[in-house]
Amino acid sequence: MVRGFRWAYAALAWLFVAGVIYQVLLAGLFLFDPTSSSKAHIDFGYSLSLAPVLILAAGAIGRVGSRLLLWTAALLVLAFVQASLPSLRDGTPFVAALHPVNAMLVFWLAVTIGLRAWALVREPAAA
């Protein structure tokens, strides 16, 4: 059971990375395609910000270790910050402008977690 949840942890981490890449594509479409709107980027972004909850749960059940759990908790925090930054546009535009910078941090941390999770599932099973 633990091994299965480690696989789920790794799969969810990489699906999250793919989601972040898709989110950047949606932002690019909004910027460069006059027929698209920001609604897809916004809606998918809110959904994506909840995904680290599932990753964290799979990691806890899969006993991935305290370091990976802390990194995943940090990913959860950064994802929620990411979702809240655009709402600061009117009052503090400089802070809201950190939205793409935070997105890079989210991407980096998600890839790091994915790589570590993949290494964990590739370890031989304990006897």
Side-chain angles (χ1 to χ4, degrees):
M1 184 166 134
V2 169
R3 190 146 182 84
F5 275 98
R6 286 182 177 184
W7 275 99
Y9 177 78
L12 289 169
W14 285 112
L15 283 172
F16 185 80
V17 170
V20 172
I21 293 169
Y22 181 64
Q23 184 67 342
V24 172
L25 172 73
L26 292 174
L29 280 174
F30 169 64
L31 289 173
F32 299 113
D33 180 4
T35 63
S36 70
S37 75
S38 64
K39 184 166 174 30
H41 176 75
I42 292 168
D43 291 345
F44 186 70
Y46 284 131
S47 299
L48 193 61
S49 69
L50 298 174
V53 173
L54 296 174
I55 302 169
L56 188 60
I61 297 169
R63 297 185 205 140
V64 297
S66 59
R67 177 178 285 176
L68 269 178
L69 285 178
L70 285 173
W71 286 358
T72 308
L75 180 64
L76 177 63
V77 170
L78 286 178
F80 278 115
V81 167
Q82 183 69 5
S84 66
L85 284 173
S87 67
L88 303 173
R89 178 180 333 156
D90 296 331
T92 51
F94 180 79
V95 176
L98 293 173
H99 186 71
V101 175
N102 191 62
M104 289 190 298
L105 290 173
V106 166
F107 180 75
W108 169 79
L109 188 54
V111 168
T112 301
I113 290 168
L115 290 171
R116 300 282 177 149
W118 180 245
L120 186 64
V121 298
R122 291 181 46 103
E123 287 180 357

